[in-house]
Amino acid sequence: MRILIIGGEGTIGKVVSDHFSEEHEVITAGRKHGDVTVDIADSASIDTMLEKVGRVDAIICIAGEAKWAPFNALSEEDFYIGLRSKLMGQVNLVRKGRNYLNPNGSITLSTGILADDPVVKTSSAAMVNGALHSFVKAVALEIESGIRLNVVSLGMVEDAYEKYKDYFPGHNPVPMEKVVNAYVRSVKGRDHGRIIKYYE
Amino acid sequence: MRILIIGGEGTIGKVVSDHFSEEHEVITAGRKHGDVTVDIADSASIDTMLEKVGRVDAIICIAGEAKWAPFNALSEEDFYIGLRSKLMGQVNLVRKGRNYLNPNGSITLSTGILADDPVVKTSSAAMVNGALHSFVKAVALEIESGIRLNVVSLGMVEDAYEKYKDYFPGHNPVPMEKVVNAYVRSVKGRDHGRIIKYYE
């Protein structure tokens, strides 16, 4: 299998890339690091990346940003950071990426627990995650050529626990083994239109 | 109570306005019709409306658009119609409207069943609805001054059944009595951060 992982050098992406690399050809993409560069907030940059990479069997996106701040402090423009990057970046990856998939290929997006169980300062991030959950359900009804589309929604992951634990009082870290399994399930299973939730 | 209803002259809005008018002062707002005009996709227009209306006890939004089309036919720009109008229009109503609420006032947004149970051609509309569900949950953790924030998510409503039934095969129309009750519950109950779902 040939697998494109956007964000493949990030905290979660690196672990997922390393796992798939054991048996498959993995191409990583990122803003600064990776085999190819891409800024998913820029749809022309997505085109360039896909053109360079060519046909693949799976596209995994573990990238995209949204601004974390108190609701009172978020401007209209701040909300658009998340809408352009984590939301429309992933939507555009589906719109464009499906044309680069081999038959029966799959696309896996990433969101997180905030969609269902937000914490303070995450009104923008939660919104983007919730949007993607409903988007995946809706597109799954229509997408053609046997393409499968899923989204992985994780709780706070173990490797980010030290950095983020103060934002998530009382949350339980998700072991990295489960993190990897969520993506393996999406890529190698038969799930389609599914929100793969691993909350501890 | 003084209640501002954006979209108060629409299919659902008219029924809700008529109900609240029996006992309360209702101000309706809309793009073309209503006591004041507003285009919620334009945040300056929201400011103007709020300035004109002044302090209220409740703000209800039953407005906002998103483009319905097959996923294959939706351009990036098409998705932004829903993001600017139904999504950010309602987000901006919360951001700005809370400053015009009397103590213990409430804001009620509107989404719909597509967030949870989409049909074909609704990838943009479903996305916007899902975004608002997570947004309301997140903002409810932070909003101050005893303000309550809820969102009403209805199945296909009875009065729109003839027009939309072909899009919703096998869906059951929601009686208008229940539609009204969803908004009454949000405005007059003590719910906060709740997605009031009436699916039949």
Side-chain angles (χ1 to χ4, degrees), chain A residues 60-63 86 90 108-112 129 132 151-153 183:
Chain A
I60 297 174
C61 181
I62 316 178
K86 191 166 183 183
Q90 297 200 81
T108 306
L109 308 182
S110 298
T111 56
N129 289 347
L132 286 162
V151 54
V152 167
S153 182
Y183 290 93

Side-chain angles (χ1 to χ4, degrees), chain B residues 58-146:
Chain B
I59 297 172
I60 298 174
C61 181
I62 316 178
E65 56 174 357
K67 183 159 178 174
W68 285 43
F71 177 60
N72 281 347
L74 285 166
S75 69
E76 181 175 8
E77 194 44 43
D78 288 336
F79 278 97
Y80 274 100
I81 295 170
L83 297 182
R84 288 197 198 94
S85 173
K86 192 167 182 181
L87 177 54
M88 286 303 295
Q90 297 199 81
V91 166
N92 283 329
L93 265 177
V94 178
R95 289 181 56 245
K96 296 161 181 291
R98 65 196 163 128
N99 301 316
Y100 291 83
L101 281 179
N102 289 326
N104 302 312
S106 69
I107 302 177
T108 306
L109 308 182
S110 298
T111 56
I113 192 172
L114 299 172
D116 298 304
D117 195 5
V119 295
V120 292
K121 301 190 184 172
T122 63
S123 52
S124 171
M127 176 169 117
V128 164
N129 289 347
L132 286 162
H133 288 186
S134 299
F135 169 78
V136 163
K137 281 189 191 177
V139 173
L141 302 173
E142 295 187 54
I143 205 164
E144 66 296 286
S145 313

